[in-house]
Amino acid sequence: MIKINEKIITNCFSFLIYAFLYIPILVVVVYSFNKSQFSMIWEGFSLKWYRELINDHEILTATWHSLLLGFLASTSAVLLGSLAAVCIKRYKFQGRKLLHGLVFTLVVIPDLVMGIALLILFHFLPVPLGFWSLFFAHTTFCLPFVIVTLHARLGQLDKHLFESAKDLGASEFVLFRQIILPLLGPALISSWLLSFTLSIDDVIISYFVAGPSFEILPLKIYAMVRTGVTPEVNAISTIILGFTLLFVVGATLIRRKK
Amino acid sequence: MRASQRFKFISLSITWAWFGIFVLAPIVLIGITSILTQNEISIVSTPLTIQSFYDTLTGGYAPIFLYSLLIAATTTLLCLLIGYPFAFIITRASNRFRPLMLMLLMIPFWVSSLIRAYAMVIMLKAQGLINIALIYLGIIYKPLHLLYTDFAVMSGLLYNLLPFMVLPLYANLAKLDHTLIEAAQDLGATRWQTFKGVILPHSIPGIISGVILVFLPAMTLFYIPEFLGGAKTLLIGNLIQHEFLVIGNWPKGAAASVILMLITLLLLIPYWKSQPKPTRAKS
Amino acid sequence: MHNPIIELKNITKAFGQHIALQELNLAVNNGEFLTILGPSGCGKTTLLRLMGGFEQPDSGHIFIDGYDITNLPPEERLVNTVFQSYALFPHMTIFNNVAFGLKCNGIDKNEIKERVEETLKIVSLEKYSERKPNELSGGQKQRVAIARAIVNRPRVLLLDEPLSALDYKLRKKMQIELKQLQRRLGLTFIFITHDQEEALSMSDRVVIMNDGKILQSGTPRDIYEEPNSLFAAEFIGEANVFDAIVTESTKQNTTLKVQNKTITFPEPKQFKAGEKVHLIVRPEDLRVWTEKEVKNTDDMLPGQVEQVIYKGSTVDLIVRLIDGPLISATEFFDEDDEDLFYENGEKVWIHWLPGWEVILPYEG
């Protein structure tokens, strides 16, 4: 009897937690199709808010900006990150510990502090707040995740692979290009997807380093929620949710395949 | 330079240039800014002063700091109390269900936290799902005032940060050798003794990681108190944001950030101590 | 006197506190199959990595064909390495694996094709050129690793325990194949192993290492029959070690007091009277007689059979000497002496032909 009760309690507990995690998201999704403007009362299925989204020029621009930024920042983060991971893994150099420390700092530093720090940097350099400031910031906060992922993957590879390439006459560049990058393949893709998600979702750092010349989606949503909840936010959240899901599942499948 | 050295030189230069400019410099600059003086024209200027730190730690800032710490600590504790048993349940789930349970936990982890904060607003509004449900069930007759309370802020934080507690705990508990538990029970330990003597000591590093991942964002995710707490609940994150972008007192905002970094560092000390020392493998 | 193809002079290498190699000197002759044999941690892998260019010595120099290559990186050395794990590039076909080194050295495409095909034929893998490494068996991977190295026509081929990942039967087969390949190519092989049987059966010369030093170097036969240290004697094959005291030493003979017997051996090495020494006899050199088989027991040691181990072609006896150590003796079945039946506890006499023993200075 005791065993059965325990099982029931365990299952109920898990169920409640998943309910807690999913109900709010599902409510947003469901009500993005609700005709009603203000209340939570269901007044019928409608794609009205999606139609409105499509016609909202500002949101479309911000979405395009976010996608572009995400694409460019995660690509450059993966490029830089693979160089950095190889440096940390393979080379002995002055200040290796400091570099390690900086990667670790980037992982643990609160986004808020990083946002402010970059804002101060861009003020002093000076870099005008807009696309470039966002690009630098996003690449930077994606970097540690790329480095950690790739560094771990490099650690799993047989180090004799690198040595034997060198032994056969490969220069460091040939080794990087023909051995390391192909072997990192799936890890490169999953760290790119991770970076892209991080970039698309970021609010806090972007909040400090964005400028009016280059509006991005999360900040647009932030402003919309602040000024009052509109069903349009439900619709756009649903779309983002869908894409996130696609990305997470895709990244998981790629990792599983490896 | 030898061809083989050229690549090493270039990649090291690029790596260092980026980390130097976009990581090291900003962190140093935040420290410098915190001891500068506010200036109308150039935002900050000399003379150097520790006035900002003094202002931050006394006066109107101190209670907000303490209040933030309290809210963050409560949230962290709640996450731990709910997340610990849940992580343990996942580790004990059958091989068929475990990947699914983990996947279901991972998905909200990746959903934009802004959207999750917003979803909580929808839930707690006067005409939100909770009120509608409670009225429908006849438990209450008029909507409860849920939004813009401490309760709302903490629900939002809990909702946002729970996966960050469960995942490191799961990673840790999954490594616990189950035969240890059986051995303890075999030796006559009660459940509480097994938990206290075997499971809990093993999971300390996981608890510390989880606490770090929850506590810091709980203080700094400024849009959660903003959406759910309204103007009433101001946390340190909101204050720093306000100081920088509205008032324009950078030194004061920077000083608060430096203090926040010190808190981070303080939290990391037990984390470092709990990490097993890497043993150097002999070749 | 021919010139060595590769020569190491006064090489010292330490990893932190641990000294891996100490003042080491070694010269390898052209066309030689040299095996470096030692227990794990003796520094043999470090030695190979220094020759390959993967590590730099703390002091000393390495020469190939008389040129100092101490500071050259691996990609600029005319040596190639076959790794224990094979280290085949998993994302490339066998052809591309073998062609990799030639491509790196900017060899013309047609020549690459020709040389790769020729080399794959040598290791009889010409049919597998379009496969990926994970589609091959362990022995085939091993041959690809060798092909990938020799296609570059290195001056010296370094092999780091290349057979240790294979099972016993395959290992035996690859030992023969490797030896034949080496003869056919006339290439210098430096082979590393901790397996003494492998070392003895394949090499022209064996170098025994321990604690970062070379203890002995010589033909397999010299090494086995004339070990110059207790370590070499015990590491290679089995050895019975007796403590003995020199009673008399002349130019031709040495007389020892061993187990309360005084026996004279034809040992030209000079010892001082009264000196403590080790007397070493291989198990297969021992003869074991039952009491009724012998009359004159002056040169024999008395003992009692403790255990009889039947091994098919041989019988191993564990004998407890009276007031002495346990020794082991291997008796071969042969037609003259079919009477190889001993009982536990049986009293026996141990004997060997004088001159088959080795006498070494006492090492404590």
Side-chain angles (χ1 to χ4, degrees):
Chain A
M1 263 330 266
I2 293 170
K3 267 255 132 63
I4 291 167
N5 280 339
E6 194 180 305
K7 194 139 202 180
I8 290 170
I9 291 171
T10 307
N11 287 349
C12 285
F13 184 68
S14 305
F15 179 78
L16 280 176
I17 287 184
Y18 284 121
F20 174 63
L21 288 176
Y22 280 90
I23 287 177
I25 300 178
L26 287 177
V27 166
V28 170
V29 173
V30 169
Y31 280 88
S32 72
F33 298 106
N34 190 3
K35 243 188 214 155
S36 151
Q37 166 111 39
F38 297 110
S39 90
M40 293 293 287
I41 312 290
W42 184 259
E43 287 182 8
F45 182 85
S46 153
L47 289 174
K48 163 165 123 191
W49 308 113
Y50 290 91
R51 230 172 289 129
E52 229 158 83
L53 261 189
I54 292 169
N55 294 321
D56 189 330
H57 189 68
E58 275 185 33
I59 284 197
L60 286 184
T61 312
T63 309
W64 162 240
H65 283 170
S66 272
L67 290 173
L68 182 71
L69 178 65
F71 179 83
L72 293 175
S74 45
T75 305
S76 65
V78 167
L79 288 176
L80 274 168
S82 52
L83 287 182
V86 168
C87 285
I88 293 175
K89 187 83 214 170
R90 288 185 41 81
Y91 302 145
K92 291 191 181 108
F93 53 91
Q94 288 280 308
R96 198 164 162 275
K97 277 208 170 131
L98 177 64
L99 191 60
H100 245 295
L102 288 177
V103 175
F104 186 73
T105 308
L106 266 186
V107 177
V108 297
I109 198 168
D111 282 359
L112 181 74
V113 177
M114 198 60 211
I116 287 165
L118 285 168
L119 171 63
I120 298 175
L121 175 80
F122 295 144
H123 169 75
F124 279 111
L125 272 181
V127 174
L129 298 184
F131 169 75
W132 286 106
S133 60
L134 280 166
F135 171 74
F136 291 137
H138 281 225
T139 304
T140 304
F141 73 68
C142 290
L143 254 182
F145 298 97
V146 176
I147 294 176
V148 169
T149 310
L150 297 184
H151 189 264
R153 181 79 191 107
L154 279 175
Q156 290 165 358
L157 294 173
D158 179 4
K159 75 170 185 186
H160 289 147
L161 285 174
F162 310 143
E163 288 184 342
S164 94
K166 297 286 287 176
D167 184 61
L168 295 168
S171 67
E172 283 293 326
F173 177 70
V174 170
L175 171 68
F176 180 72
R177 179 66 201 73
Q178 297 199 18
I179 308 293
I180 294 180
L181 283 188
L183 290 178
L184 284 178
L188 289 174
I189 296 171
S190 66
S191 62
W192 189 91
L193 290 175
L194 173 60
S195 299
F196 190 78
T197 330
L198 287 172
S199 168
I200 291 277
D201 285 350
D202 175 69
V203 180
I204 296 186
I205 294 178
S206 304
Y207 184 76
F208 288 97
V209 299
S213 65
F214 196 83
E215 286 200 85
I216 55 172
L217 193 58
L219 293 182
K220 193 85 200 143
I221 298 173
Y222 172 69
M224 285 165 84
V225 177
R226 248 190 350 172
T227 48
V229 175
T230 72
E232 243 183 288
V233 178
N234 291 339
I236 190 130
S237 298
T238 305
I239 294 173
I240 294 174
L241 271 171
F243 276 107
T244 311
L245 220 71
L246 221 68
F247 263 75
V248 174
V249 173
T252 313
L253 286 181
I254 286 168
R255 210 168 312 144
R256 187 115 356 127
K257 213 174 156 191
K258 194 51 229 171
Chain B
M1 199 185 303
R2 275 214 194 95
S4 66
Q5 296 295 304
R6 201 183 307 137
F7 175 80
K8 176 178 170 182
F9 178 77
I10 292 172
S11 51
L12 267 176
S13 307
I14 294 174
T15 306
W16 265 119
W18 196 281
F19 272 88
I21 297 172
F22 294 114
V23 186
L24 190 59
I27 292 169
V28 171
L29 279 174
I30 222 174
I32 294 173
T33 306
S34 70
I35 50 171
L36 289 172
T37 312
Q38 188 191 1
N39 183 300
E40 292 293 324
I41 304 145
S42 62
I43 302 184
V44 286
S45 66
T46 48
L48 300 180
T49 168
I50 56 161
Q51 186 66 37
S52 304
F53 282 96
Y54 183 78
D55 290 348
T56 308
L57 292 172
T58 59
Y61 256 43
I64 293 176
F65 243 114
L66 289 177
Y67 182 69
S68 299
L69 285 172
L70 187 71
I71 292 261
T74 316
T75 307
T76 310
L77 191 67
L78 278 173
C79 279
L80 185 62
L81 289 178
I82 298 170
Y84 197 106
F86 186 53
F88 194 72
I89 288 171
I90 299 180
T91 63
R92 300 292 299 275
S94 69
N95 283 336
R96 233 177 80 222
F97 283 111
R98 202 182 314 111
L100 181 69
M101 288 180 90
L102 272 177
M103 185 80 183
L104 286 175
L105 187 69
M106 286 297 286
I107 289 169
F109 186 77
W110 288 115
V111 170
S112 154
S113 82
L114 182 71
I115 290 176
R116 279 184 290 152
Y118 165 74
M120 213 58 196
V121 177
I122 299 286
M123 294 291 290
L124 298 177
K125 278 198 308 184
Q127 295 105 26
L129 190 74
I130 291 184
N131 273 323
I132 290 174
L134 290 177
I135 291 171
Y136 179 78
L137 291 173
I139 297 170
I140 53 170
Y141 298 102
K142 61 179 196 190
L144 289 174
H145 189 67
L146 294 171
L147 203 55
Y148 307 130
T149 59
D150 284 356
F151 168 77
V153 174
M154 278 200 280
S155 321
L157 289 172
L158 183 67
Y159 180 52
N160 243 284
L161 300 170
L162 185 61
F164 289 85
M165 178 64 86
V166 180
L167 287 171
L169 277 174
Y170 168 77
N172 175 282
L173 287 170
K175 279 186 283 181
L176 176 68
D177 184 357
H178 190 65
T179 54
L180 288 180
I181 298 173
E182 283 165 358
Q185 282 165 349
D186 182 59
L187 294 170
T190 62
R191 299 178 141 225
W192 171 243
Q193 283 169 330
T194 308
F195 174 72
K196 219 180 79 175
V198 179
I199 305 172
L200 190 62
H202 177 272
S203 56
I204 296 288
I207 294 176
I208 294 172
S209 309
V211 166
I212 291 171
L213 287 176
V214 172
F215 189 80
L216 287 169
M219 286 200 295
T220 58
L221 283 174
F222 58 76
Y223 47 82
I224 292 180
E226 204 172 344
F227 290 175
L228 291 154
K232 273 196 246 160
T233 312
L234 262 183
L235 297 188
I236 190 64
N238 307 75
L239 217 61
I240 295 175
Q241 173 215 2
H242 194 68
E243 210 63 68
F244 257 84
L245 297 182
V246 183
I247 299 176
N249 189 343
W250 285 24
K252 204 169 167 190
S257 304
V258 169
I259 293 169
L260 208 58
M261 280 204 278
L262 292 178
I263 294 173
T264 311
L265 216 63
L266 224 64
L267 276 171
L268 285 175
I269 291 170
Y271 172 77
W272 280 321
K273 284 198 172 154
S274 74
Q275 290 297 303
K277 290 257 153 39
T279 44
R280 198 166 285 242
K282 268 188 183 170
S283 63
Chain C
M1 192 66 203
H2 36 229
N3 285 329
I5 191 164
I6 186 163
E7 193 171 12
L8 290 87
K9 284 189 173 161
N10 295 320
I11 297 290
T12 297
K13 174 75 184 173
F15 297 101
Q17 294 288 310
H18 174 73
I19 295 169
L21 296 172
Q22 208 173 6
E23 290 286 319
L24 187 137
N25 288 291
L26 178 67
V28 183
N29 298 321
N30 198 357
E32 196 174 19
F33 195 124
L34 180 93
T35 299
I36 299 173
L37 175 67
S40 59
C42 73
K44 58 187 191 304
T45 298
T46 306
L47 187 63
L48 198 80
R49 292 174 59 78
L50 285 168
M51 291 192 261
F54 308 114
E55 306 275 357
Q56 300 291 315
D58 298 335
S59 66
H61 293 273
I62 303 171
F63 300 88
I64 288 184
D65 291 326
Y67 294 101
D68 188 340
I69 56 144
T70 316
N71 296 312
L72 280 189
E75 63 267 32
E76 290 172 35
R77 295 186 180 203
L78 290 172
V79 297
N80 283 115
T81 304
V82 175
F83 291 91
Q84 187 173 1
S85 57
Y86 316 140
L88 301 181
F89 306 128
H91 58 296
M92 295 183 187
T93 62
I94 300 310
F95 184 94
N96 285 333
N97 261 286
V98 178
F100 186 83
L102 300 175
K103 281 183 191 158
C104 285
N105 291 318
I107 307 250
D108 163 73
K109 259 201 173 149
N110 294 325
E111 196 189 332
I112 290 181
K113 192 166 185 297
E114 214 170 281
R115 272 169 71 174
V116 170
E117 281 170 357
E118 178 194 300
T119 312
L120 283 175
K121 205 172 275 171
I122 292 177
V123 296
S124 30
L125 283 175
E126 63 270 33
K127 284 183 197 141
Y128 296 86
S129 68
E130 288 314 307
R131 295 217 188 161
K132 292 276 182 74
N134 61 5
E135 296 167 319
L136 298 188
S137 70
Q140 289 169 331
K141 280 185 203 164
Q142 172 70 74
R143 295 206 293 250
V144 176
I146 292 165
R148 189 176 66 171
I150 61 175
V151 74
N152 304 292
R153 298 179 183 151
R155 297 289 285 141
V156 178
L157 188 67
L158 308 174
L159 301 105
D160 184 6
E161 307 222 11
L163 305 182
S164 62
L166 304 176
D167 64 44
Y168 181 77
K169 269 197 172 164
L170 195 53
R171 199 157 70 224
K172 288 272 159 208
K173 187 168 162 263
M174 285 304 295
Q175 283 177 8
I176 297 165
E177 252 180 61
L178 258 184
K179 181 69 197 164
Q180 283 173 345
L181 186 70
Q182 190 259 344
R183 285 231 181 92
R184 194 143 41 112
L185 297 170
L187 187 60
T188 310
F189 274 34
I190 300 180
F191 186 94
I192 283 210
T193 185
H194 62 266
D195 181 337
Q196 37 112 357
E197 199 186 321
E198 207 165 273
L200 294 179
S201 62
M202 295 170 77
S203 327
D204 297 323
R205 188 152 66 101
V206 178
V207 169
I208 298 181
M209 278 188 74
N210 193 31
D211 281 339
K213 279 174 264 181
I214 289 178
L215 296 182
Q216 191 172 3
S217 146
T219 63
R221 187 168 183 155
D222 282 350
I223 295 272
Y224 188 75
E225 293 184 355
E226 297 295 331
N228 68 358
S229 63
L230 203 55
F231 178 84
E234 289 184 322
F235 189 70
I236 299 187
E238 276 187 82
N240 293 306
V241 181
F242 303 93
D243 289 350
I245 290 172
V246 178
T247 54
E248 203 191 341
S249 183
T250 68
K251 269 193 181 136
Q252 288 85 33
N253 293 316
T254 304
T255 309
L256 297 182
K257 191 164 184 224
V258 53
Q259 300 295 129
N260 294 322
K261 291 261 182 174
T262 305
I263 310 173
T264 300
F265 301 103
E267 171 69 48
K269 249 184 263 170
Q270 292 281 302
F271 294 95
K272 282 199 263 341
E275 193 180 341
K276 261 182 119 174
V277 291
H278 294 296
L279 176 69
I280 292 157
V281 192
R282 299 279 181 202
E284 66 272 19
D285 291 344
L286 287 176
R287 290 285 165 270
V288 181
W289 307 107
T290 54
E291 287 213 293
K292 52 181 186 268
E293 285 177 304
V294 286
K295 286 180 193 109
N296 180 1
T297 60
D298 290 352
D299 292 345
M300 296 184 180
L301 304 174
Q304 204 171 6
V305 175
E306 287 224 336
Q307 206 178 345
V308 183
I309 303 159
Y310 178 74
K311 281 199 171 164
S313 57
T314 62
V315 170
D316 284 8
L317 296 177
I318 308 292
V319 178
R320 161 83 61 192
L321 295 188
I322 307 299
D323 306 324
L326 277 179
I327 60 162
S328 96
T330 302
E331 302 287 284
F332 293 87
F333 289 103
D334 62 49
E335 307 203 341
D336 302 332
D337 181 14
E338 281 179 31
D339 191 24
L340 271 180
F341 298 100
Y342 301 89
E343 277 165 34
N344 287 351
E346 191 173 352
K347 290 218 161 58
V348 289
W349 289 95
I350 302 296
H351 174 246
W352 67 91
L353 289 180
W356 287 16
E357 75 293 317
V358 174
I359 302 171
L360 292 175
Y362 195 73
E363 291 179 24

